[in-house]
Amino acid sequence: MAPPSAATESKVRTAYGKLPLAFTPNAGLMRRRVRYYAEGAGFGFYFARDRVAIALTKGKRREVLHLSFLGTRANVHPVAERPGPGTVNHMSGADRSRWRTGLRTYDRLRYRNLWPGID
């Protein structure tokens, strides 16, 4: 099969960039501390119990910003809200035991009661 033309690849990248942001639960594909993630063309958001990582990529350059919630209540963690319309499938490599299919997506995440009265 021939690789896609530059025009086709450009159209696919443009369409991919217009997809709505969707939060997906970590199903063993990333570090255990990541509870949910959202990825797109040139970015990734990774949500752990007490922090968020924002990764931005352009070409071969990648920068990551880590945000921690200082002085928060104990047992803080992200909660998925509003199930989205789609699902996510990860089928990489020949080892099917590592494939993850039908992962539910969500439109919103919330950290409840980070501080008194603040979500």
Side-chain angles (χ1 to χ4, degrees):
M1 179 150 95
S5 69
T8 299
E9 189 170 324
S10 177
K11 287 179 186 179
V12 169
R13 286 184 188 276
T14 299
Y16 183 64
K18 292 180 182 178
L19 290 173
L21 188 63
F23 301 99
T24 307
N26 179 7
L29 297 165
M30 300 180 185
R31 292 180 178 186
R32 287 178 30 174
R33 77 180 97 174
V34 174
R35 302 273 177 101
Y36 294 91
Y37 66 94
E39 295 178 314
F43 70 85
F45 302 124
Y46 307 94
F47 301 87
R49 183 186 62 74
D50 61 347
R51 69 190 67 192
V52 175
I54 301 170
L56 303 173
T57 305
K58 185 172 185 179
K60 293 183 179 183
R61 186 172 178 182
R62 179 178 169 101
E63 299 291 336
V64 180
L65 174 66
H66 295 270
L67 304 173
S68 296
F69 306 122
L70 301 177
T72 61
R73 294 175 171 229
N75 259 352
V76 171
H77 60 276
V79 177
E81 299 180 340
R82 295 193 343 218
T87 59
V88 172
N89 299 309
H90 287 273
M91 297 176 286
S92 180
D95 182 0
R96 291 184 180 208
S97 70
R98 296 191 43 83
W99 290 9
R100 302 293 183 265
T101 60
L103 298 175
R104 173 74 109 183
T105 61
Y106 296 89
D107 291 338
R108 183 167 71 184
L109 288 182
R110 180 185 305 217
Y111 284 84
R112 295 183 188 270
N113 294 314
L114 276 171
W115 297 278
I118 298 175
D119 285 350

